Amino acid sequence: MEHFERNQLIPLRDALNSLMKFVREIPSVGIPQFYCFLDYMKNNIEIYLYAPMDANEWETLFLRLKDILIRDWREANHSVWGIPAFDLLIGERENKTELCLEFLQLVSVIDGFFCRVVS
């Protein structure tokens, strides 16, 4: 990530919440393995935003948080058990296409925060 600012954390947290809510509400799919990494990311953001610190601590901890968020997003996107391997189409549903598109849109919002990560 070339540039990542503290004020981006609130929309990122909200995007994580939206994706987590979507996954929880899909009937008969269950909670996938990548969900815990989304939860870790959301919780770490909230800890950072609400913990009392002075200005010097904010900057130091923000650099650590950035690395942790990048790590957890990579884990959530693991090719075997992460977001790319998530089978949203389990079971018969009339609205499979709409569910897939909504899922991809929610993931892309979060991925937008990490699109400049150099592997």
Side-chain angles (χ1 to χ4, degrees):
M1 212 172 297
E2 293 171 4
H3 191 64
F4 193 73
E5 297 180 6
R6 185 172 182 262
N7 64 357
Q8 291 175 298
L9 292 175
I10 293 171
L12 176 56
R13 181 201 56 197
D14 294 344
L16 288 163
N17 272 329
S18 295
L19 179 58
M20 292 167 63
K21 180 179 186 250
F22 176 84
V23 169
R24 282 191 313 266
E25 292 178 351
I26 298 172
S28 74
V29 172
I31 301 297
Q33 289 182 319
F34 67 83
Y35 185 92
C36 67
F37 291 101
L38 303 178
D39 195 40
Y40 297 157
M41 292 169 69
K42 180 186 72 88
N43 290 336
N44 284 324
I45 290 169
E46 288 180 348
I47 290 168
Y48 176 81
L49 290 174
Y50 300 115
M53 293 178 254
D54 66 36
N56 292 331
E57 290 176 311
W58 282 111
E59 188 171 337
T60 302
L61 290 177
F62 182 76
L63 294 174
R64 289 183 188 162
L65 174 64
K66 183 177 86 167
D67 291 339
I68 290 168
L69 292 174
I70 291 168
R71 178 203 65 197
D72 287 346
W73 185 241
R74 283 185 181 148
E75 287 299 315
N77 282 283
H78 191 277
S79 63
V80 175
W81 46 262
I83 290 169
F86 182 52
D87 189 359
L88 184 62
L89 302 178
I90 295 173
E92 290 299 317
R93 290 192 189 85
E94 293 178 15
N95 60 344
K96 287 180 182 184
T97 303
E98 291 83 9
L99 284 174
C100 287
L101 291 174
E102 184 177 355
F103 178 72
L104 291 174
Q105 190 275 331
L106 291 167
V107 169
S108 69
V109 169
I110 298 168
D111 199 50
F113 290 96
F114 299 97
C115 67
R116 290 179 254 152
V117 174
V118 177
S119 300

Short mmCIF file of all heavy atoms in Angstrom, two decimals, residues 27-29 87-94 96:
data_model
loop_
_atom_site.label_atom_id
_atom_site.label_comp_id
_atom_site.label_asym_id
_atom_site.label_seq_id
_atom_site.Cartn_x
_atom_site.Cartn_y
_atom_site.Cartn_z
N PRO A 27 -28.30 -18.11 3.55
CA PRO A 27 -28.82 -19.36 4.11
C PRO A 27 -28.07 -20.59 3.61
O PRO A 27 -27.64 -20.64 2.47
CB PRO A 27 -30.28 -19.38 3.64
CG PRO A 27 -30.35 -18.44 2.50
CD PRO A 27 -29.21 -17.47 2.63
N SER A 28 -27.88 -21.52 4.48
CA SER A 28 -27.31 -22.85 4.23
C SER A 28 -25.85 -22.87 3.77
O SER A 28 -25.37 -23.89 3.33
CB SER A 28 -28.16 -23.64 3.22
OG SER A 28 -27.97 -23.13 1.92
N VAL A 29 -25.14 -21.75 3.89
CA VAL A 29 -23.74 -21.76 3.50
C VAL A 29 -22.84 -21.98 4.71
O VAL A 29 -21.85 -22.68 4.64
CB VAL A 29 -23.36 -20.45 2.77
CG1 VAL A 29 -21.87 -20.37 2.55
CG2 VAL A 29 -24.09 -20.35 1.46
N ASP A 87 -17.62 -20.96 -2.03
CA ASP A 87 -18.67 -21.45 -2.92
C ASP A 87 -20.00 -20.86 -2.46
O ASP A 87 -20.69 -21.41 -1.62
CB ASP A 87 -18.72 -22.97 -2.92
CG ASP A 87 -19.64 -23.51 -3.99
OD1 ASP A 87 -20.25 -22.71 -4.72
OD2 ASP A 87 -19.75 -24.74 -4.09
N LEU A 88 -20.32 -19.76 -3.05
CA LEU A 88 -21.55 -19.04 -2.73
C LEU A 88 -22.77 -19.73 -3.32
O LEU A 88 -23.89 -19.47 -2.92
CB LEU A 88 -21.43 -17.62 -3.26
CG LEU A 88 -22.53 -16.63 -2.98
CD1 LEU A 88 -22.65 -16.40 -1.48
CD2 LEU A 88 -22.24 -15.33 -3.67
N LEU A 89 -22.56 -20.61 -4.26
CA LEU A 89 -23.66 -21.20 -5.01
C LEU A 89 -24.14 -22.55 -4.47
O LEU A 89 -24.81 -23.29 -5.16
CB LEU A 89 -23.27 -21.33 -6.48
CG LEU A 89 -22.86 -20.03 -7.15
CD1 LEU A 89 -22.45 -20.29 -8.58
CD2 LEU A 89 -23.96 -19.01 -7.07
N ILE A 90 -23.78 -22.86 -3.23
CA ILE A 90 -24.25 -24.10 -2.62
C ILE A 90 -25.77 -24.05 -2.51
O ILE A 90 -26.34 -23.06 -2.07
CB ILE A 90 -23.62 -24.31 -1.23
CG1 ILE A 90 -22.12 -24.50 -1.36
CG2 ILE A 90 -24.27 -25.48 -0.50
CD1 ILE A 90 -21.39 -24.54 -0.04
N GLY A 91 -26.40 -25.13 -2.90
CA GLY A 91 -27.86 -25.21 -2.79
C GLY A 91 -28.55 -24.52 -3.96
O GLY A 91 -27.94 -23.83 -4.76
N GLU A 92 -29.83 -24.73 -4.06
CA GLU A 92 -30.63 -24.14 -5.12
C GLU A 92 -31.18 -22.80 -4.67
O GLU A 92 -31.82 -22.70 -3.63
CB GLU A 92 -31.77 -25.08 -5.50
CG GLU A 92 -31.32 -26.33 -6.22
CD GLU A 92 -30.61 -26.01 -7.53
OE1 GLU A 92 -31.09 -25.14 -8.28
OE2 GLU A 92 -29.57 -26.62 -7.79
N ARG A 93 -30.92 -21.79 -5.45
CA ARG A 93 -31.44 -20.45 -5.19
C ARG A 93 -31.83 -19.82 -6.52
O ARG A 93 -31.13 -19.97 -7.51
CB ARG A 93 -30.39 -19.58 -4.52
CG ARG A 93 -30.09 -19.97 -3.13
CD ARG A 93 -29.25 -18.86 -2.49
NE ARG A 93 -28.77 -19.30 -1.22
CZ ARG A 93 -27.68 -20.02 -1.03
NH1 ARG A 93 -26.93 -20.35 -2.04
NH2 ARG A 93 -27.31 -20.40 0.16
N GLU A 94 -32.88 -19.07 -6.48
CA GLU A 94 -33.29 -18.36 -7.68
C GLU A 94 -32.40 -17.16 -7.95
O GLU A 94 -32.22 -16.75 -9.08
CB GLU A 94 -34.74 -17.89 -7.55
CG GLU A 94 -35.74 -19.03 -7.52
CD GLU A 94 -37.15 -18.51 -7.35
OE1 GLU A 94 -37.39 -17.30 -7.54
OE2 GLU A 94 -38.01 -19.33 -7.02
N LYS A 96 -29.07 -16.62 -7.53
CA LYS A 96 -27.63 -16.91 -7.47
C LYS A 96 -26.80 -15.79 -8.09
O LYS A 96 -25.79 -15.37 -7.54
CB LYS A 96 -27.31 -18.23 -8.16
CG LYS A 96 -27.75 -19.44 -7.41
CD LYS A 96 -27.38 -20.70 -8.17
CE LYS A 96 -27.87 -21.93 -7.42
NZ LYS A 96 -27.45 -23.16 -8.07
#
